[in-house]
Amino acid sequence: MSHPLKHEPLKHEPLEHEGFLQQAVDLAAANVAAGGGPFGALVVRDGEVLATGQNRVTRDLDPTAHAEVVAIRAACREVGDFSLAGCVLYSSCEPCPLCLASALWARVDRVAYAADRDDAARGGFDDRAFYDLFDTPRERWATPVSGVSLAGSFAPFDAWLAKADRTHY
Ligand SMILES: Nc1nc2[nH]cnc2c(=O)[nH]1
């Protein structure tokens, strides 16, 4: 049985989305002009821009400093919370798996993007390749990723679960 989309595609939605997406694309273009990667992002709540982000990988020597991650970190600092529930993440380009997982961990209500993973591939970036990798059995990965059994590996979770005052996230 097919499920109806919860949201109509963005192109049928109010211009507000387009305005924020255009800002993300403008941030990406400005970042290229400043010597950075071609990605920009915004976190918006109730129509207000909480934070912006531009790719800072080469500037910060940080492979995780993708535009969306930078924007999410800045927005969390802005609101003083590790949750961005109630927010929308706008990105100049489809979030890569790192950025998408970051958005899910931040519990944003919605993610909207302009260019897609095919555009990123044309631009020379591995976003699509990494999505494809996650659809490939790990045994076939060039980078070995495997669990190693270790006695006591659940101990941190035992400690966590025993903590009455733990902060769930
Ligand atoms: N969406 C996205 N993809 C990337 N691929 C490489 N860097 C980035 C980034 O900052 N954002």
Side-chain angles (χ1 to χ4, degrees), residues 81-84 104-107 157 160 166-169:
D81 200 337
F82 49 78
S83 170
L84 294 178
L104 294 173
W105 278 113
R107 315 294 178 186
F157 294 110
W160 170 253
R166 62 184 182 269
T167 305
H168 182 74
Y169 64 91

Side-chain angles (χ1 to χ4, degrees), residues 6-7 16-17 20 42-52 68 71-91 102-112:
K6 192 171 169 200
H7 300 283
E16 185 184 70
H17 290 293
F20 290 130
L42 314 173
V43 175
V44 174
R45 188 176 62 188
D46 297 330
E48 181 204 347
V49 178
L50 289 180
T52 64
E68 295 90 328
I72 287 168
R73 287 177 180 156
C76 285
R77 280 195 301 273
E78 176 66 24
V79 299
D81 200 337
F82 49 78
S83 170
L84 294 178
C87 298
V88 181
L89 175 68
Y90 291 95
S91 182
S102 303
L104 294 173
W105 278 113
R107 315 294 178 186
V108 300
D109 283 12
R110 182 168 187 171
V111 178

Side-chain angles (χ1 to χ4, degrees), residues 39-40 54-57 65-68 91 93-96 99 120 125-127:
F39 300 92
Q54 291 166 301
N55 183 289
R56 300 187 57 89
V57 170
H66 284 199
E68 295 90 328
S91 182
C93 183
E94 182 176 3
C96 75
C99 300
F125 292 89
D126 280 337
D127 303 54

Side-chain angles (χ1 to χ4, degrees), residues 26 32 60 79 90 100 114 136 139 143 149 162 165:
D26 291 346
V32 174
D60 291 355
V79 299
Y90 291 95
L100 186 54
T136 306
E139 299 73 51
T143 307
S149 50
D165 62 346

Side-chain angles (χ1 to χ4, degrees), residues 131-144:
Y131 274 112
D132 291 347
L133 193 62
F134 283 120
D135 285 336
T136 306
R138 282 194 192 165
E139 299 73 51
R140 300 221 293 268
W141 289 21
T143 307

